[in-house]
C-alpha cells in the first residue's frame, strides 16, 4: 500500500498556490512506487496579476528536467491559459511548433521550459492534475490483458488511451476521452502511466494515492510469490561472497563499457534485484523492453543479462561471459541505432546501463555515480512492474521503433542538455592516502571541484569521514567516501581497493600521500625508527601502488599515480637519515613503476614539497620540535625560518601541493611520466641535478 503523506499542518504553512503545488509534488516524488525519478508532472490552475496589474488565469506546470521529489516553486513554469486553450481546436501540432508556441505563453521568460506534457494538463478542465508512473498502474498498463483487468478494478470510471508518444496528439486524445465519459476519475495510458485530478491540491493528491492503492490491492491479491518470474532458478550467493565477486569483476566491466569515455559504476544487491536475477523466466523477461518510456534514456531498451550459474569457483568463467556479453550488447545496440536512426541522430555510448548477474545482483553504469544510481533506481521500478504485470498476464512493452523514438526524442534529450558541462576529472576516481590530512584533504577538494569522485583512505577514519561529509554536502551524495586503511597492512590495502571497486567500479588516480616523519642523528637512529619509516613510507607506498597497478591493468583504460615525496628526496636532511633515505626510495619506486606502466597507459610522477606545516599531523607531532632543535631555533620560529630559506621568500601550503598533484593527474601532463616536480619555494640545496 502507498501511504497518503499529506499533512494539514505543513500544508497550512504554504504561502501561495505555487508553494502548495511544490509541496504536493514533493509528496508524490517522495515514494518512487508512485513516480519515477525525474518522471511525471503536476500542475495547478490559478489566477495571478500580470506585469500590467491585470488578473489572468495561469497554469503552473512542472518545468522540464526537474524531479518531483526535490523540486521547488522556482522549478515550475507559469503559462497563460487564454493562449493555450484554443490549441485544442487544432487537428495537429508538431513537437517543434508546440515547444515554440508554449515559449510565447510563459508569464516569465526566466522560468524553465515547460514539461513535454504541458498540453495534457492544459486541455483537462480541472484545477489540479497529476501525471504519475506508479508501479501498480504501469503493471496494469504493461499487461497484455490490461484494459480488461482495468474494467474489473475501475468499472466505467477510467479512460484507456492506447500508447502514443507524449505531445499534442496524446494530450488531445486524453481530453477527448475524459469529456466523453462523465464518470471518468482517471486516465490509464497504455505502457505509460496514470492521470488523475481534483478541485483542490489535497483532493488531487488523495485521488492519486487512492487509485494507485485500488490497483495495488487487486494485484497483490493475485500474487503468487513462489511463482514470480517463473519461480526461483538461482539462489543468491551469501552477501560477503557477492560483494567479493562484484569487487573483482567491476573493474573489468568498467574497462569494457568505457569506450570513448570512462563510465562510473555502482552495485546493487537489494532483495528485489536478487529475486529477479534468480528467476527462471528473467533472462527472457528482461529482454521484452522498457517498463515505461521514461526509463529509456537512462536504462536503454533492455539490460544485459549474464547467463551464468552462480559459482564462486568460476570467476574466470564469469569474467569471460561479462566481456563477451558487453561486446555483443554493443554490437546489437549499434545495429539497433542504424536500423532506426533519423538524419542528424548521434549514437549514445553503446554499452549497457544495466547489467544483471544471477546470484550477484545488478551493476549500473553512468557518466557519474549519481547517474548510475538513476539507472538502478529506474530498473528497480521495472522489476516491480514486471512483477505485477506477469501476475496479471503477459508483460508487454513498446515496439523497437517506439522505443527508439523516445530514447532519441529531441524533447527528452533536451533534459540531458540541462546538465552542467563535464570538467577535467569528470568520470575519474581518485584514491588518496592520508586523506584526512592537510595535503590529502586539499587535494580531494581540488579534484572534486573539477568533477572527480574521491576515496579518502586514512588511519584516522573519523577525520577522513568529516572531510568526505564536507565534500558531499557541497558537491552531492557520494562524491567522496572514507575508508580506514593502514598502508603497512597488505590485507587492509586490498580491502580498501575492493571497497573502492564496489563503490565506483575502479580507480583512475592514486595519490600516495600517507606519511610520517622522525628526526634523530644517525648514530641515535634506532632500528625501530628505521623500520617505522621503511614500513610506512616505503612498504606502504609500494602496497598502495601495487594494488592500484593491478586494478588499472584489469580495467585496461590506463591510470595515473602521483607520489608525494619531499625535498629530502634529493636533499640529505640533517638528523633525518631514515626519513630522507625512504623518501629517496619512494621517488625511485615511482620511476620503476613508470617504466613498467607505460605500455598500459599508467603514468607515475612525484611531487617534492617542503615544510607544509598547515593542517599536517606530522608537523603537529614531535617532528616540529625535532626539526626546530636541528636548526637551533624555537618551534614557533619554524614557519618564518622555512620561508626565509627559499629563493622566492614564500611559505608552501597544502593547496600548492594539491595544485601540483592536480597537474600531474590531469590531461595537461598526458605525455609526462617518471618525472619529479619540486614545490618548495626554491631551496637551492634541493635543486635537482
Amino acid at each position: 500500500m502507498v501511504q497518503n503523506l499529506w499533512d494539514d499542518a505543513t500544508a497550512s504553512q504554504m504561502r501561495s498556490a505555487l508553494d502548495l503545488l511544490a509541496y504536493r509534488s514533493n509528496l508524490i516524488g517522495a515514494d518512487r512506487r508512485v513516480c519515477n525519478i525525474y518522471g511525471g508532472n503536476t500542475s495547478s490552475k490559478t489566477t495571478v496579476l500580470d506585469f500590467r496589474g491585470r488578473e489572468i488565469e495561469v497554469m503552473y506546470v512542472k518545468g522540464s528536467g526537474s524531479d518531483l521529489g526535490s523540486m521547488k516553486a522556482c522549478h515550475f513554469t507559469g503559462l497563460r491559459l487564454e493562449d493555450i486553450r484554443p490549441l485544442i481546436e487544432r487537428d495537429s501540432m508538431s513537437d517543434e511548433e508546440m515547444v515554440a508556441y508554449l515559449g510565447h505563453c510563459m508569464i516569465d521568460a526566466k522560468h524553465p521550459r515547460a514539461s513535454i506534457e504541458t498540453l495534457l494538463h492544459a486541455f483537462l478542465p480541472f484545477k489540479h492534475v497529476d501525471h504519475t508512473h506508479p508501479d501498480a498502474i504501469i503493471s496494469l498498463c504493461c499487461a497484455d490483458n490490461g484494459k480488461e483487468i482495468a474494467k474489473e478494478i475501475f468499472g466505467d470510471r477510467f479512460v484507456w488511451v492506447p500508447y502514443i508518444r507524449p505531445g499534442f496528439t496524446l494530450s488531445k486524445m486524453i481530453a477527448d476521452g475524459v469529456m466523453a465519459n462523465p464518470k471518468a476519475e482517471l486516465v490509464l495510458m497504455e505502457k505509460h502511466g496514470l492521470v488523475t485530478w481534483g478541485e483542490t491540491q489535497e483532493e488531487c493528491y488523495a485521488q492519486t494515492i487512492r487509485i494507485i492503492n485500488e490497483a495495488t490491492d487487486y494485484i497483490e491479491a493475485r500474487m503468487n510469490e513462489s511463482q514470480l518470474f517463473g519461480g526461483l532458478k538461482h539462489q543468491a550467493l551469501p552477501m560477503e561472497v557477492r560483494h567479493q565477486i562484484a569487487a573483482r569483476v567491476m573493474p573489468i566491466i568498467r574497462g569494457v563499457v568505457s569506450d570513448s569515455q570512462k563510465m562510473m559504476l555502482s552495485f546493487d544487491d537489494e532483495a528485489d534485484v536478487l529475486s529477479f536475477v534468480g528467476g527462471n523466466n528473467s533472462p527472457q523477461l528482461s529482454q521484452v523492453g522498457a517498463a515505461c518510456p521514461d526509463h529509456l534514456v537512462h536504462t536503454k531498451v533492455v539490460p544485459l543479462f549474464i547467463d551464468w550459474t552462480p559459482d564462486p569457483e568460476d570467476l574466470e568463467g564469469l569474467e569471460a561471459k561479462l566481456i563477451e556479453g558487453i561486446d555483443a550488447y554493443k554490437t546489437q545496440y549499434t545495429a539497433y541505432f542504424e536500423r532506426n536512426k533519423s538524419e542528424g541522430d548521434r549514437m549514445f555510448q553503446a554499452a549497457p546501463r544495466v547489467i544483471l548477474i544471477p546470484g550477484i545482483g545488478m551493476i549500473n553504469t553512468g557518466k557519474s555515480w549519481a547517474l548510475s544510481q538513476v539507472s538502478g533506481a529506474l530498473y528497480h521500478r521495472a522489476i516491480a512492474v514486471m512483477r505485477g504485470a506477469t501476475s496479471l498476464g503477459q508483460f508487454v512493452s513498446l515496439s523497437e521503433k517506439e522505443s527508439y523514438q523516445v530514447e532519441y526524442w529531441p524533447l527528452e534529450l533536451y533534459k540531458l542538455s540541462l546538465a552542467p558541462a563535464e570538467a577535467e576529472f569528470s568520470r575519474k576516481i581518485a584514491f588518496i592516502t592520508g586523506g584526512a590530512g592537510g595535503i590529502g584533504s586539499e587535494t580531494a577538494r581540488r579534484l572534486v571541484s573539477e568533477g572527480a569522485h574521491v576515496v579518502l583512505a586514512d588511519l584516522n577514519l573519523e577525520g577522513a569521514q568529516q572531510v568526505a561529509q564536507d565534500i558531499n554536502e557541497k558537491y552531492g551524495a557520494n562524491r567522496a567516501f572514507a575508508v580506514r586503511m593502514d598502508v603497512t597492512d597488505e590485507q587492509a590495502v586490498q580491502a580498501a581497493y575492493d571497497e573502492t571497486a564496489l563503490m565506483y567500479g575502479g580507480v583512475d588516480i592514486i595519490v600516495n600521500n600517507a606519511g610520517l616523519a622522525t628526526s634523530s642523528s644517525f648514530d641515535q637512529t634506532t632500528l625501530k625508527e628505521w623500520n617505522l619509516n621503511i614500513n610506512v613510507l616505503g612498504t606502504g607506498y609500494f602496497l598502495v601502488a601495487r594494488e592500484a597497478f593491478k586494478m588499472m591493468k584489469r580495467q585496461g583504460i590506463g591510470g595515473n599515480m602521483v607520489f608525494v615525496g619531499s625535498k629530502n628526496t634529493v636533499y640529505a636532511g640533517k638528523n633525518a637519515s631514515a626519513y630522507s633515505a625512504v623518501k629517496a626510495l619512494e621517488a625511485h619506486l615511482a620511476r620503476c613503476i613508470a617504466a613498467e606502466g607505460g605500455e598500459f597507459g599508467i603514468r607515475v610522477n612525484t611531487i617534492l614539497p617542503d615544510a607544509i606545516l598547515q593542517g599536517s599531523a606530522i608537523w603537529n607531532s614531535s617532528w616540529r620540535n625535532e626539526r626546530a632543535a636541528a636548526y637551533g631555533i624555537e618551534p614557533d620560529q619554524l614557519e618564518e625560518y622555512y620561508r626565509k630559506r627559499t629563493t622566492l621568500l614564500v611559505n608552501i601550503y597544502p593547496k600548492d601541493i594539491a595544485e601540483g598533484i592536480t597537474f600531474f593527474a590531469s590531461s595537461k601532463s598526458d605525455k609526462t611520466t617518471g618525472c619529479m616536480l619540486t614545490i618548495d619555494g626554491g631551496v637551492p640545496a634541493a635543486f635537482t641535478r
Side-chain angles (χ1 to χ4, degrees):
M1 294 288 288
V2 174
Q3 185 179 357
N4 186 320
L5 302 174
W6 189 274
D7 180 70
D8 287 332
T10 302
S12 67
Q13 301 300 311
M14 301 297 136
R15 294 174 297 177
S16 67
L18 184 54
D19 288 332
L20 200 56
L21 173 59
Y23 172 66
R24 175 178 120 221
S25 303
N26 293 166
L27 295 185
I28 290 171
D31 190 335
R32 294 305 178 192
R33 295 174 300 170
V34 174
C35 196
N36 295 326
I37 186 168
Y38 297 121
N41 31 78
T42 53
S43 69
S44 288
K45 300 178 179 77
T46 186
T47 56
V48 301
L49 296 178
D50 71 3
F51 69 100
R52 294 173 60 185
R54 299 173 303 179
E55 190 174 83
I56 60 170
E57 193 176 5
V58 167
M59 180 178 73
Y60 285 102
V61 67
K62 173 192 169 186
S64 186
S66 302
D67 176 51
L68 290 176
S70 58
M71 66 189 303
K72 307 301 180 189
C74 62
H75 297 127
F76 289 90
T77 304
L79 302 138
R80 292 182 298 275
L81 277 169
E82 66 175 349
D83 294 332
I84 299 176
R85 283 198 176 111
L87 292 178
I88 201 168
E89 303 300 325
R90 293 197 182 192
D91 293 326
S92 63
M93 192 176 200
S94 70
D95 291 342
E96 295 76 14
E97 187 182 3
M98 179 182 70
V99 170
Y101 187 98
L102 292 176
H104 292 297
C105 301
M106 292 167 59
I107 63 172
D108 189 335
K110 295 179 182 177
H111 285 176
R113 180 193 280 189
S115 167
I116 294 166
E117 292 167 309
T118 292
L119 295 184
L120 180 160
H121 295 262
F123 289 170
L124 289 174
F126 309 112
K127 288 196 69 174
H128 307 283
V129 176
D130 290 340
H131 165 46
T132 53
H133 307 118
D135 293 348
I137 295 295
I138 302 182
S139 295
L140 187 65
C141 294
C142 283
D144 62 338
N145 55 349
K147 189 173 181 179
E148 289 68 37
I149 297 294
K151 291 176 183 176
E152 293 185 32
I153 301 172
F154 302 114
D156 57 1
R157 295 180 290 132
F158 75 100
V159 172
W160 182 274
V161 180
Y163 176 78
I164 183 172
R165 196 178 69 184
F168 177 84
T169 302
L170 176 61
S171 300
K172 191 168 180 178
M173 287 172 62
I174 288 173
D176 289 346
V178 171
M179 292 304 98
N181 181 2
K183 296 182 179 180
E185 296 179 8
L186 65 144
V187 175
L188 297 173
M189 304 159 72
E190 185 180 25
K191 304 172 186 175
H192 188 165
L194 171 71
V195 180
T196 48
W197 51 84
E199 284 305 300
T200 68
Q201 303 263 17
E202 182 181 5
E203 181 184 320
C204 183
Y205 172 72
Q207 173 76 343
T208 298
I209 301 305
R210 183 172 65 82
I211 293 298
I212 293 169
N213 283 333
E214 284 188 63
T216 300
D217 288 344
Y218 183 94
I219 293 170
E220 293 301 319
R222 287 152 181 80
M223 189 74 64
N224 183 344
E225 293 287 346
S226 67
Q227 292 304 308
L228 277 181
F229 312 126
L232 186 66
K233 181 178 182 181
H234 296 302
Q235 290 279 359
L237 294 172
M239 184 177 69
E240 184 177 348
V241 176
R242 296 197 300 267
H243 288 195
Q244 288 173 348
I245 293 174
R248 171 165 170 166
V249 301
M250 285 175 72
I252 293 172
I253 293 171
R254 184 166 185 251
V256 184
V257 300
S258 296
D259 299 322
S260 57
Q261 292 179 301
K262 293 181 178 178
M263 300 294 280
M264 305 288 292
L265 274 56
S266 56
F267 174 67
D268 191 322
D269 59 348
E270 294 294 323
D272 61 328
V273 172
L274 293 172
S275 172
F276 183 70
V277 298
N280 271 297
N281 296 341
S282 297
Q284 298 76 35
L285 191 58
S286 67
Q287 303 305 299
V288 171
C292 179
D294 274 43
H295 296 189
L296 280 161
V297 171
H298 294 285
T299 66
K300 296 189 180 294
V301 182
V302 295
L304 170 61
F305 197 104
I306 301 298
D307 179 19
W308 181 67
T309 300
D311 179 3
E313 302 301 317
D314 185 32
L315 295 190
E316 289 186 3
L318 174 58
E319 290 172 2
K321 285 179 178 290
L322 282 164
I323 294 169
E324 179 185 347
I326 293 168
D327 285 341
Y329 187 101
K330 290 189 285 190
T331 299
Q332 292 162 9
Y333 185 85
T334 301
Y336 153 81
F337 176 83
E338 292 296 329
R339 286 194 300 271
N340 295 285
K341 69 180 180 181
S342 299
E343 185 178 353
D345 287 354
R346 296 180 60 185
M347 190 176 76
F348 301 141
Q349 281 184 280
R353 292 286 180 268
V354 179
I355 300 171
L356 304 170
I357 308 174
I360 305 297
M362 172 170 67
I363 295 168
N364 301 108
T365 74
K367 69 178 185 179
S368 66
W369 180 87
L371 285 175
S372 75
Q373 288 285 291
V374 171
S375 299
L378 291 172
Y379 208 75
H380 274 283
R381 306 279 52 85
I383 291 171
V385 168
M386 288 184 282
R387 174 182 179 272
T390 55
S391 296
L392 299 174
Q394 297 294 316
F395 172 62
V396 295
S397 182
L398 308 180
S399 69
E400 179 181 290
K401 190 67 176 178
E402 289 168 339
S403 296
Y404 181 89
Q405 288 175 345
V406 172
E407 188 178 358
Y408 284 87
W409 186 20
L411 296 192
E412 277 292 340
L413 300 186
Y414 170 77
K415 297 178 184 178
L416 300 182
S417 74
L418 300 177
E422 293 192 66
E424 171 71 43
F425 297 107
S426 293
R427 305 171 182 256
K428 299 280 182 71
I429 303 150
F431 185 97
I432 303 170
T433 67
I439 293 174
S441 61
E442 195 66 37
T443 299
R445 292 186 175 94
R446 181 72 177 78
L447 294 175
V448 172
S449 74
E450 291 199 45
H453 294 66
V454 299
V455 180
L456 299 155
D458 206 299
L459 268 175
N460 176 11
L461 179 59
E462 186 176 340
Q465 288 173 330
Q466 185 59 59
V467 175
Q469 180 181 324
D470 293 344
I471 288 172
N472 292 334
E473 286 175 355
K474 183 174 183 180
Y475 294 101
N478 276 325
R479 290 293 299 279
F481 88 101
V483 294
R484 187 186 186 281
M485 187 183 77
D486 178 350
V487 297
T488 69
D489 183 334
E490 184 175 24
Q491 290 186 337
V493 173
Q494 291 168 343
Y497 278 109
D498 283 348
E499 285 191 63
T500 300
L502 204 59
M503 174 61 75
Y504 295 134
V507 70
D508 300 295
I509 300 161
I510 70 151
V511 181
N512 234 336
N513 168 68
L516 54 75
T518 63
S519 177
S520 59
S521 61
F522 180 64
D523 60 341
Q524 294 298 313
T525 301
T526 64
L527 181 59
K528 180 179 180 181
E529 179 183 343
W530 174 263
N531 285 338
L532 177 63
N533 280 270
I534 287 288
N535 288 341
V536 174
L537 304 177
T539 303
Y541 275 49
F542 158 73
L543 289 173
V544 169
R546 187 192 67 182
E547 294 307 311
F549 198 89
K550 290 178 183 178
M551 186 172 287
M552 289 172 178
K553 282 182 65 177
R554 286 170 70 78
Q555 289 178 144
I557 50 177
N560 207 313
M561 301 188 194
V562 185
F563 281 36
V564 179
S566 166
K567 163 188 65 69
N568 289 36
T569 297
V570 294
Y571 170 66
K574 183 180 179 181
N575 290 349
S577 56
Y579 176 78
S580 298
V582 184
K583 280 296 175 181
L585 179 158
E586 286 176 8
H588 201 58
L589 173 62
R591 289 192 291 260
C592 292
I593 302 169
E596 287 194 43
E599 64 178 294
F600 305 110
I602 300 171
R603 299 192 294 111
V604 191
N605 294 288
T606 303
I607 299 288
L608 307 183
D610 184 37
I612 313 297
L613 277 66
Q614 294 74 23
S616 169
I618 294 173
W619 285 98
N620 290 328
S621 67
S622 60
W623 176 253
R624 177 187 286 268
N625 293 335
E626 291 165 354
R627 297 320 292 157
Y631 300 128
I633 61 176
E634 294 299 318
D636 61 2
Q637 296 175 314
L638 267 178
E639 192 164 359
E640 183 64 9
Y641 172 84
Y642 285 133
R643 185 185 73 81
K644 286 184 175 179
R645 80 176 182 182
T646 69
T647 59
L648 297 176
L649 298 177
V650 294
N651 289 117
I652 310 301
Y653 300 102
K655 66 179 181 180
D656 301 317
I657 309 308
E659 200 64 41
I661 293 169
T662 300
F663 168 73
F664 271 146
S666 76
S667 58
K668 296 180 179 67
S669 63
D670 267 351
K671 297 184 179 180
T672 300
T673 192
C675 178
M676 293 190 298
L677 174 64
T678 303
I679 305 178
D680 64 2
V683 179
F687 287 173
T688 55
R689 52 192 179 276

